[in-house]
């Protein structure tokens, strides 16, 4: 399978190692911030957020005066992650205990659960697990004052938002306005995939943030060596193409498209049956667990979990909670489940059908396959999506969703790479007056690159953004529609336009409190970090420096290799960084992975959406377009430096789009 992004990992084992208190790396980092009243933990799936919360919660009960701990999860299946756990066996001072009465993530209506919630608050017990919905309903009935001696922990915190109509966000704001409850917010994707921030800026300022990156997590695995991210295109119905992608020998979660989506047939049950038919012949169904057995085409018996069919689904969910070995399960077919918080460490392949408009959803789905497990060396995410049809009215929507898919791959390229730290290089040494040596300093934890003219953070606010928010801010920048258009149209948008105009606009929108100088400080960090990652920086030691033009050895200086060129670090400056397109490498990867014809159609469709042209002008230009094509034996180019040729190309795109609309309208009228 051709991947747009393939990331290799070091297999250091560090992220899985535990300390004397039984904590892995991320958990220890979060526990160090346990005294914060408002704590935001941003860490990828499988990094151990659930147990980190247990450590923090028990400390708040034991040492910080909390009487109650309430853990809220987005869906019932995730509640199992917070069941009673023996922590003292590995050195912690007490165990995490949740009485079965207070695990409200079982079947039943919300009305009874809210009463149970109230009963818990009046009891002597300390820990309760419920859904986000139950927490919202209980808060509406009881008010913020009832939580004043409690720790409220919200898993998958991105479900909240700063929107005034967000009910979960309103709970968070109400608790913070009260000022007495403690809050621990946890998420693997601190962005929502829409235009709304998770928290208002003034509220987010109150949180102490702990960040643990994808790269730290995956690079520290023992067995998992690589992650592939790819997109596979189909024509017709996805059921005809899924056989090319779904390998029964790989432990796989298949997410079929939402019923209302264009990729769906509208009958989710027949789609499940079609996938089962591809896998092999039905053998039996266990009445107790609901797990089906299918005899594969190679004769192997496959265990398949159907999470799409409502009848008996609770039994299947319960059975999945008891999966303890690699042989217990082979294929899971799901629709809206098995995403956030779902833990099946042996999953090797997350196969998602249909365009996914939510970046958060994509990252959560990828996280299902990125658990470390014995003898699991590669994880794969594949998005099986319909190839845009240039003759279809749906092309605009298809292109829009394609861009979102591209944004996801860009994001993962960024998130799955270590950030660089940057500092400015002064022209003269303070004492000797000699020029300072510019170098790359490898500390073992981060790489520091010295850049002339670089603006270091000049305030605690920009320092905080650079240290804590750089990855999230980069993700938001890469989702911005204007930047996406520029990323797939490098011939039309110079790097300077992207770096100095488009990116600052996003920063200003995300941080309206920043001054112009502060925006520039943040911009330089975003651009430099993206440019260095995108251009595959390579440090060249002094003894490997290329000779000068006369063949003589170079002096003892360091070089870097960017975009195939050697650059003396002593000459590295902000102007050079701004001349590099940080998205170019991602574009090149996509160009190699997606056919030129598909990219051309995407480019034309994007152009058609922003052309300012009348039908009269297009008709007037049509004779010139025909003459140009006949004379040059090619069509006019949208990227031509000649304004007239470019305008003719725009007119041609306009005419084709009009023809597509007319054809679709005629087809609809004749249907």
């Amino acid at each position: 399978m051709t991947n747009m992004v393939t990331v290799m990992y070091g297999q250091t084992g560090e992220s899985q190692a535990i300390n004397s208190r039984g904590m892995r790396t991320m958990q220890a980092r979060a526990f160090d911030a346990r005294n914060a009243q408002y704590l935001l933990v941003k860490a990828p799936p499988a990094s151990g957020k659930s147990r980190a919360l247990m450590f923090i919660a028990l400390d708040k009960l034991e040492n910080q005066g909390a009487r109650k701990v309430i853990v809220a999860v987005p869906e019932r299946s995730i509640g199992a992650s917070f069941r009673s756990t023996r922590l003292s066996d590995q050195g912690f001072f007490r165990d995490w205990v949740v009485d079965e009465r207070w695990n409200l993530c079982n079947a039943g209506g919300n009305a009874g659960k809210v009463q149970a919630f109230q009963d818990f608050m009046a009891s002597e017990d300390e820990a309760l697990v419920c859904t986000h919905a139950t927490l919202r309903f209980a808060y509406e009935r009881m008010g913020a004052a009832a939580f004043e001696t409690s720790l409220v922990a919200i898993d998958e915190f991105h479900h909240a938002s700063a929107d005034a109509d967000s009910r979960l966000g309103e709970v968070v704001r109400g608790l913070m306005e009260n000022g007495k409850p403690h809050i621990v917010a946890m998420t693997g994707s601190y962005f929502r995939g829409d235009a709304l921030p998770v928290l208002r800026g003034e509220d987010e300022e109150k949180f102490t943030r702990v960040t643990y990156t994808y790269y730290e997590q995956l690079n520290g695995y023992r067995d998992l060596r690589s992650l592939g991210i790819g997109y596979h295109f189909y024509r017709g119905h996805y059921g005809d193409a899924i056989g090319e992608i779904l390998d029964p020998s790989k432990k796989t979660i298949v997410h079929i498209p939402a019923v209302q989506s264009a990729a769906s047939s509208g009958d989710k049950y027949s789609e499940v049956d079609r996938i089962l038919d591809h896998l092999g012949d039905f053998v039996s169904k266990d009445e107790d667990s609901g797990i089906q057995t299918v005899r594969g085409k190679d004769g192997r018996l496959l265990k398949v979990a159907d999470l799409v069919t409502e009848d008996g689904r609770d039994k299947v969910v319960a059975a999945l909670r008891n999966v303890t070995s690699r042989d217990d399960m082979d294929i899971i077919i799901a629709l809206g489940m098995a995403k956030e918080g779902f833990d099946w460490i042996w999953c090797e392949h997350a196969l998602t059908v249909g365009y996914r408009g939510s970046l958060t959803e994509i990252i959560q789905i990828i996280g299902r396959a990125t658990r470390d497990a014995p003898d699991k060396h590669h994880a794969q995410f594949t998005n099986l999506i319909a190839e845009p049809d240039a003759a279809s009215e749906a092309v605009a929507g298809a292109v829009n969703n394609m861009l979102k898919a591209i944004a996801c791959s860009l994001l993962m390229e960024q998130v799955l790479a270590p950030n660089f730290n940057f500092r400015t290089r002064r022209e003269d040494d303070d004492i000797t007056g000699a020029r300072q040596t510019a170098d790359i300093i490898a500390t073992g934890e981060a790489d520091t690159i010295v850049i002339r003219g670089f603006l270091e953070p000049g305030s605690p606010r920009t320092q905080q953004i650079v240290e804590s928010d750089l990855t999230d801010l980069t993700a938001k920048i890469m989702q911005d529609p204007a930047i996406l258009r520029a990323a797939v149209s490098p011939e039309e948008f110079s790097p300077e336009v992207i770096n100095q105009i488009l990116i600052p606009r996003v920063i200003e929108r995300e941080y309206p409190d920043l001054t112009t100088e502060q925006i520039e400080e943040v911009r330089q960090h975003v651009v430099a970090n993206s440019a260095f990652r995108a251009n595959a920086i390579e440090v060249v030691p002094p003894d490997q420096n290329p000779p000068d033009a006369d063949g003589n050895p170079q002096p003892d200086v360091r070089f870097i290799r960017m975009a195939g060129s050697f650059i003396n670090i002593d000459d590295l400056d902000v102007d050079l960084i701004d001349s590099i397109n940080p998205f170019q490498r991602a574009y090149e990867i996509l160009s190699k992975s997606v056919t030129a014809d598909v990219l051309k159609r995407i480019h034309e469709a994007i152009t058609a959406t922003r052309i300012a042209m009348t039908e009269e002008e297009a008709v007037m230009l049509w004779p010139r377009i025909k003459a140009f094509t006949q004379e040059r034996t090619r069509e006019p180019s949208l990227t031509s430096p000649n304004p007239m040729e470019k305008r003719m190309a725009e007119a041609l795109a306009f005419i084709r789009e009009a023809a597509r609309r007319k054809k679709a309208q005629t087809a609809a009228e004749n249907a």
Side-chain angles (χ1 to χ4, degrees):
M1 179 181 298
T2 300
N3 289 313
M4 293 184 181
V5 179
T6 301
V7 185
M8 304 299 293
Y9 299 105
Q11 296 177 281
T12 66
E14 183 178 345
S15 65
Q16 303 298 293
I18 62 172
N19 64 16
S20 60
R21 292 179 293 191
M23 299 178 188
R24 286 154 52 185
T25 303
M26 187 283 289
Q27 295 159 352
R29 186 178 300 177
F31 190 72
D32 287 343
R34 63 191 178 277
N35 292 319
Q37 182 177 3
Y38 306 129
L39 180 61
L40 174 59
V41 179
K42 298 184 284 185
S47 58
K49 293 190 292 295
S50 302
R51 189 164 292 202
L53 182 276
M54 298 176 192
F55 292 127
I56 294 167
L58 290 172
D59 186 84
K60 287 189 179 290
L61 289 170
E62 189 79 14
N63 302 314
Q64 299 184 46
R67 289 186 55 252
K68 303 284 184 183
V69 175
I70 297 125
V71 182
V73 298
E75 62 179 62
R76 292 187 291 111
S77 62
I78 303 177
S81 300
F82 297 93
R83 59 179 175 264
S84 296
T85 304
R86 290 188 62 83
L87 302 176
S88 58
D89 290 349
Q90 294 181 311
F92 200 62
F93 63 81
R94 61 183 285 194
D95 296 324
W96 171 256
V97 178
V98 180
D99 190 287
E100 283 301 314
R101 293 175 300 162
W102 311 129
N103 183 356
L104 305 186
C105 290
N106 49 20
N110 278 315
K113 292 178 181 178
V114 172
Q115 184 57 54
F117 194 110
Q118 288 184 290
D119 294 342
F120 162 76
M121 296 298 281
S123 73
E124 295 300 318
D125 292 316
E126 294 177 324
L128 173 141
V129 181
C130 66
T131 64
H132 289 173
T134 300
L135 173 63
R136 295 196 313 264
F137 289 128
Y139 176 84
E140 289 171 4
R141 181 180 295 185
M142 303 172 68
F147 298 84
E148 287 183 351
T149 58
S150 301
L151 165 64
V152 178
I154 301 175
D155 194 23
E156 309 301 351
F157 188 59
H158 53 270
H159 282 267
S161 89
D163 192 314
D165 295 328
S166 169
R167 297 171 67 190
L168 182 59
E170 192 59 39
V171 171
V172 174
R173 288 189 290 275
L175 294 175
M176 296 180 72
E177 287 171 3
N178 179 276
K180 293 184 179 179
H182 286 225
I183 299 173
V184 173
M186 302 181 295
T187 181
S189 49
Y190 191 59
F191 37 86
R192 293 169 46 85
D194 57 24
L196 294 170
V198 177
L199 282 172
R200 295 171 180 169
E202 61 270 24
D203 292 332
E204 186 172 345
E205 291 275 338
K206 300 175 183 177
F207 277 81
T208 297
R209 278 158 281 189
V210 174
T211 300
Y212 188 70
T213 67
Y214 257 101
Y215 186 81
E216 289 178 286
Q217 171 66 7
L218 300 180
N219 200 52
Y221 279 162
R222 293 191 178 96
D223 291 88
L224 184 59
R225 299 172 184 168
S226 61
L227 167 65
I229 300 172
Y231 294 90
H232 189 90
F233 298 93
Y234 68 88
R235 293 183 179 182
H237 188 269
Y238 77 83
D240 299 325
I242 198 167
E244 302 173 22
I245 304 300
L246 178 54
D247 181 354
S249 69
K250 303 294 184 184
K251 305 294 184 181
T252 303
I253 298 178
V254 182
H255 282 103
I256 67 173
V259 174
Q260 67 272 20
S261 72
S264 174
S265 66
D267 185 349
K268 59 185 180 182
Y269 305 115
S270 67
E271 292 178 24
V272 172
D273 290 341
R274 198 164 180 175
I275 293 172
L276 291 171
D277 288 342
H278 163 70
L279 293 173
D281 298 322
F282 175 82
V283 175
S284 64
K285 180 177 180 179
D286 187 279
E287 292 302 321
D288 294 329
S289 67
I291 302 301
Q292 301 181 50
T293 299
V294 174
R295 186 175 301 280
K297 296 176 182 178
D298 61 355
R300 288 193 316 120
L301 292 179
L302 304 173
K303 294 181 180 179
V304 182
D306 173 10
L307 293 175
V308 177
T309 305
E310 290 86 352
D311 185 23
R313 184 163 60 195
D314 286 340
K315 292 192 295 185
V316 178
V317 170
L320 290 175
R321 291 173 181 165
N322 295 320
V323 168
T324 56
S325 74
R326 182 181 180 87
D327 296 331
D328 288 346
M329 187 57 54
D330 295 289
I331 307 290
I332 296 174
I333 306 172
L335 199 161
M337 304 181 72
K339 297 176 185 176
E340 296 175 329
F342 182 79
D343 192 5
W344 180 32
I345 65 171
W346 289 277
C347 176
E348 301 167 275
H349 189 189
L351 170 56
T352 299
V353 181
Y355 297 101
R356 301 286 160 160
S358 168
L359 179 60
T360 295
E361 183 179 12
I362 288 287
I363 289 181
Q364 290 291 343
I365 291 173
I366 289 173
R368 300 318 101 205
T370 55
R371 264 74 171 166
D372 199 26
D375 299 321
K376 173 181 167 182
H377 303 307
H378 180 76
Q380 180 70 40
F381 167 75
T382 304
N383 198 180
L384 179 60
I385 50 181
E387 181 179 353
D389 184 355
S392 170
E393 175 65 20
V395 68
V399 168
N400 183 50
N401 286 321
M402 177 58 136
L403 288 176
K404 290 178 181 177
I406 291 171
C408 294
S409 66
L410 288 171
L411 173 73
M412 296 309 297
E413 177 72 0
Q414 174 64 22
V415 170
L416 291 170
N419 288 333
F420 285 96
N421 297 320
F422 301 93
R423 60 184 175 86
T424 187
R425 186 184 64 75
R426 292 171 294 175
E427 290 294 334
D428 297 291
D429 187 89
D430 290 336
I431 299 175
T432 66
R435 210 169 211 189
Q436 288 185 313
T437 300
D439 205 351
I440 292 183
I441 306 165
T443 64
E445 297 181 357
D447 294 318
T448 301
I449 295 176
V450 185
I451 301 175
R452 182 172 63 237
F454 199 76
L455 293 178
E456 295 185 16
S459 68
R461 177 70 172 129
T462 52
Q463 182 74 28
Q464 174 262 315
I465 292 171
V466 168
E467 291 182 352
S468 302
D469 297 354
L470 198 61
T471 297
D472 295 339
L473 176 58
T474 303
K476 292 173 183 176
I477 287 170
M478 288 182 175
Q479 293 176 78
D480 182 75
I483 291 176
L484 280 172
R485 286 196 296 270
V488 297
S489 305
E491 304 92 344
E492 297 181 34
F493 294 87
S494 70
E496 290 83 358
V497 170
I498 296 175
N499 295 335
Q500 298 176 17
I501 297 176
L502 300 182
I503 290 178
R505 287 177 184 171
V506 179
I507 298 172
E508 184 177 13
R509 184 183 69 219
E510 296 297 325
Y511 302 100
D513 58 309
L514 297 185
T515 65
T516 301
E517 183 175 356
Q518 289 174 327
I519 290 173
E520 176 61 13
E521 292 171 4
V522 174
R523 182 199 74 84
Q524 289 190 11
H525 276 270
V526 170
V527 171
N529 190 64
S530 299
F532 274 83
R533 294 312 313 163
N535 285 278
I537 179 173
E538 175 188 353
V539 184
V540 183
D543 59 357
Q544 298 179 22
N545 287 343
D548 61 20
D550 298 323
N552 300 315
Q554 291 276 25
D556 188 10
V557 296
R558 295 262 176 172
F559 280 73
I560 60 173
R561 190 195 303 270
M562 294 179 65
S565 302
F566 284 104
I567 299 170
N568 189 331
I569 293 181
D570 200 44
D571 296 329
L572 186 63
D573 57 29
V574 175
D575 288 338
L576 171 63
I577 296 297
D578 285 344
S579 70
I580 297 171
N581 185 345
F583 307 102
Q584 183 66 37
R585 181 169 175 261
Y587 177 79
E588 290 171 352
I589 290 171
L590 290 166
S591 298
K592 294 173 183 175
S593 302
V594 183
T595 66
D597 180 59
V598 170
L599 281 176
K600 182 175 182 291
R601 278 184 270 164
I602 290 172
H603 191 189
E604 287 182 349
I606 294 169
T607 301
T609 64
R610 60 172 186 257
I611 291 174
M613 180 170 292
T614 64
E615 184 176 343
E616 290 76 14
E617 182 184 0
V619 170
M620 181 187 70
L621 288 172
W622 176 242
R624 298 188 66 167
I625 295 171
K626 290 195 297 183
F628 180 96
T629 304
Q630 185 175 4
E631 179 183 346
R632 307 287 181 91
T633 64
R634 66 173 178 84
E635 294 177 350
S637 171
L638 286 167
T639 60
S640 172
N642 184 297
M644 191 64 239
E645 180 182 349
K646 184 174 181 180
R647 192 58 176 168
M648 286 190 291
E650 291 175 344
L652 183 58
F654 179 89
I655 291 168
R656 285 175 172 166
E657 180 63 21
R660 283 193 291 266
R661 288 197 299 268
K662 184 175 181 179
K663 183 178 179 180
Q665 182 179 355
T666 301
E669 291 172 351
N670 295 333

